[in-house]
């Protein structure tokens, strides 16, 4: 399994392209996260697939399982070298995500299975309580400049 739990925050190189936005912890906020990510990826000249699926799943989890009334979640995208990093931070640090294998007839519960299948790496970074960040990395196919981030 490529899930990891890391405790260190990532420091971005000054030149790393990045995008970050706070969104409401609602289904509408989760949909907006996907749309904004797609628009940003187009601006950077990167393909939307599979990043849009990963953003959609992580944002939906933040809005559903990481929801605290009156608190937002944050979507952050950045590129280091040839890697697109996707992060979704919510304020339910006590609820860490775990991959589940739902029944075949279940209508939900497969989001992290999709993330696991599409991402090169993914994991959870516990932060100052009550926050956590679920992150995923995918290769962009563009080996650019920049330093590698350590998770």
């Amino acid at each position: 399994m490529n899930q990891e739990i890391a405790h260190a925050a990532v420091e971005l190189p000054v030149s790393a392209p990045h995008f970050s936005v706070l969104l409401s912890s609602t289904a509408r906020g989760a949909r907006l996260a996907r749309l904004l990510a797609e628009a940003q990826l187009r601006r950077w000249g990167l393909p939307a697939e599979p990043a849009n699926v990963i953003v959609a799943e992580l944002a939906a989890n933040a809005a559903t399982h990481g929801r605290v009334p009156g608190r937002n979640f944050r979507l952050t995208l950045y590129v280091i070298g040839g890697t697109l990093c996707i992060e979704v931070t919510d304020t339910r640090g006590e609820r860490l995500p775990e991959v589940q294998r739902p029944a075949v007839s279940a209508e939900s519960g497969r989001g992290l299975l999709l993330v696991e299948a599409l991402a090169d790496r993914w994991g959870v970074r516990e932060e100052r309580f009550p926050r956590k960040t679920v992150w995923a990395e995918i290769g962009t196919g563009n080996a650019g400049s920049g330093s590698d981030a350590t998770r």
Side-chain angles (χ1 to χ4, degrees), residues 84-101:
L84 171 65
C85 304
I86 301 164
E87 297 182 350
V88 175
T89 302
D90 66 52
T91 54
R92 290 292 298 267
E94 77 280 5
R95 293 192 68 187
L96 299 180
E98 59 183 75
V99 176
Q100 298 178 1
R101 310 268 185 240

Side-chain angles (χ1 to χ4, degrees), residues 33-43 46 48-49 52 77:
R34 181 185 53 80
L35 294 171
L36 291 172
E38 287 176 349
Q40 185 62 50
L41 292 170
R42 270 195 309 276
R43 279 194 280 286
L46 297 175
E49 297 275 339
N52 60 347
L77 305 173

Side-chain angles (χ1 to χ4, degrees), residues 68-82:
V68 173
R71 301 264 177 101
N72 298 322
F73 71 91
R74 177 176 296 280
L75 168 66
T76 304
L77 305 173
Y78 56 95
V79 178
I80 297 180

